[in-house]
Amino acid sequence: MKKIFSVLLIIVLAFSFSLQGHAAFKDVSNTHSLATEINYLTKAGIISGYEDGKFRPNELIKKKHVASMLVKSLGLQT
């Protein structure tokens, strides 16, 4: 599952431009190791955080979330 997420991030970032601006989530600072990727995927509408304004980057990712990201990033029909 981590491999799928990593591949998805690489694909998305290969076609992206560098991001500028502030962190989109309360718990993801600009110095976080994945801040650029998290902010890009959020702006692209592929991922979103929790209703409390947090992303919770240390939470485990579920299969349904990986599937949702793939569908959104590849423009697949469900």
Side-chain angles (χ1 to χ4, degrees), residues 2-36:
K2 290 181 182 180
K3 289 181 183 181
I4 292 173
F5 185 68
S6 297
V7 169
L8 176 63
L9 281 175
I10 290 170
I11 291 170
V12 171
L13 293 175
F15 299 104
S16 69
F17 295 98
S18 64
L19 287 176
Q20 296 179 4
H22 66 290
F25 301 102
K26 296 176 187 176
D27 58 344
V28 180
S29 68
N30 286 333
T31 59
H32 188 280
S33 63
L34 295 173
T36 302

Side-chain angles (χ1 to χ4, degrees), residues 22-72:
H22 66 290
F25 301 102
K26 296 176 187 176
D27 58 344
V28 180
S29 68
N30 286 333
T31 59
H32 188 280
S33 63
L34 295 173
T36 302
E37 292 84 355
I38 291 169
N39 289 332
Y40 174 80
L41 293 172
T42 301
K43 288 180 181 182
I46 297 170
I47 61 173
S48 61
Y50 291 86
E51 292 178 3
D52 63 357
K54 294 181 180 178
F55 183 73
R56 300 180 189 161
N58 297 323
E59 292 283 323
L60 294 177
I61 189 167
K62 297 179 181 178
K63 290 179 188 177
K64 66 181 182 179
H65 297 138
V66 172
S68 175
M69 288 187 291
L70 287 171
V71 167
K72 290 175 184 176

